[in-house]
Amino acid sequence: MTDPIIAVEHVTRQVSDSTGTLTILHDIDFVLRPRESTAIVGASGSGKSTLLAIIAGLDLPTLGTVRLAGTDLFALDEDARAALRARKLGFVFQSFQLLGHLSALENVMLPLELLGRGDARAKAAEMLRRVGLGERLNHYPRTLSGGEQQRVALARAFVVEPAVLLADEPTGSLDFATGERVMELMFAMNRESGTTLVLVTHDRSIAARCDRQLHIEAGRVVS
């Protein structure tokens, strides 16, 4: 059997304040195989976005760990985790997270430049054409529609050819029709690139398009 690309090992996340300790995630344990698409499904406040942040190494578990391509994320220091993320992960967020002072082309070039790629401009332009924005290369985010901004975000995520794409409610800021088009594009690009997809959503119709679903309630995987 293929080795896991992601192994979440008994992850618990707790936060404490003056009122006591709140457990956000309770002993989460699962593996994801290469090319697998998985939806993490749950209501608002169930812990699914916290889980995604821990998978990315952006948040620290109280107990347990995550292995990405066999590497224990939390045995690394912050700089080493960031370097591993840059090589292995792509991200798509609900709020797009584009840099407003950069053009569409420059936004997509950025992760390639951080990796020291000399072909950043050509690769970014090619990817923007792939998502249907070949005529928008020099447009800034403020001049793009929500759907166009999310397509730039998809181009930025896929341009580094990540092993894993992490998507957090990628259609949450879009109207239904635009969201449908963005999801069709994301799933098509995911199939073509052979990326492992981890998709956080509360939309069960979107989740049903994934190979598997993890349902979270009150910080626990229930199915």
Side-chain angles (χ1 to χ4, degrees):
M1 182 177 291
T2 306
D3 290 337
I5 185 67
I6 294 173
V8 177
E9 300 177 353
H10 301 289
V11 163
T12 293
R13 180 70 170 98
Q14 297 174 324
V15 294
S16 299
D17 60 20
S18 59
T19 64
T21 299
L22 172 66
T23 301
I24 300 172
L25 297 172
H26 301 256
D27 193 32
I28 306 293
D29 192 77
F30 62 90
V31 299
L32 302 178
R33 305 289 175 186
R35 296 177 175 266
E36 188 173 28
S37 61
T38 300
I40 300 174
V41 184
S44 179
S46 61
K48 57 189 188 298
S49 290
T50 298
L51 176 57
L52 196 73
I54 289 174
I55 291 172
L58 295 169
D59 194 6
L60 302 178
T62 306
L63 297 169
T65 197
V66 174
R67 297 183 188 278
L68 174 59
T71 299
D72 184 343
L73 281 179
F74 303 107
L76 305 175
D77 63 24
E78 188 171 339
D79 288 343
R81 281 200 303 275
L84 185 61
R85 273 196 298 273
R87 295 194 308 271
K88 296 290 186 181
L89 300 180
F91 296 89
V92 180
F93 302 96
Q94 176 177 338
S95 56
F96 318 136
Q97 298 290 336
L98 301 179
L99 297 178
H101 65 287
L102 298 182
S103 67
L105 180 63
E106 290 165 338
N107 267 282
V108 179
M109 287 172 61
L110 184 59
L112 293 170
E113 291 177 326
L114 292 174
L115 290 172
R117 293 279 295 268
D119 59 348
R121 180 171 294 273
K123 291 286 289 184
E126 176 187 347
M127 187 58 70
L128 282 166
R129 286 191 288 270
R130 169 67 185 84
V131 301
L133 294 175
E135 304 301 317
R136 297 284 193 273
L137 301 186
N138 297 314
H139 285 61
Y140 289 84
R142 67 181 179 275
T143 68
L144 300 173
S145 68
E148 288 172 333
Q149 289 185 64
Q150 195 60 298
R151 282 188 277 157
V152 174
L154 282 175
R156 182 182 58 189
F158 279 106
V159 77
V160 296
E161 300 176 358
V164 179
L165 177 68
L166 304 178
D168 192 358
E169 301 282 7
T171 63
S173 298
L174 305 175
D175 63 75
F176 177 79
T178 303
E180 282 288 296
R181 290 193 293 271
V182 166
M183 290 308 300
E184 287 288 347
L185 180 60
M186 189 181 77
F187 279 113
M189 294 177 72
N190 193 67
R191 287 191 301 269
E192 290 170 12
S193 63
T195 303
T196 299
L197 172 64
V198 185
L199 169 65
V200 164
T201 184
H202 65 274
D203 187 325
R204 292 179 183 269
S205 66
I206 292 175
R209 299 171 67 174
C210 293
D211 298 327
R212 63 185 289 206
Q213 300 176 35
L214 293 175
H215 295 266
I216 295 184
E217 293 180 8
R220 301 179 188 273
V221 174
V222 296
S223 64

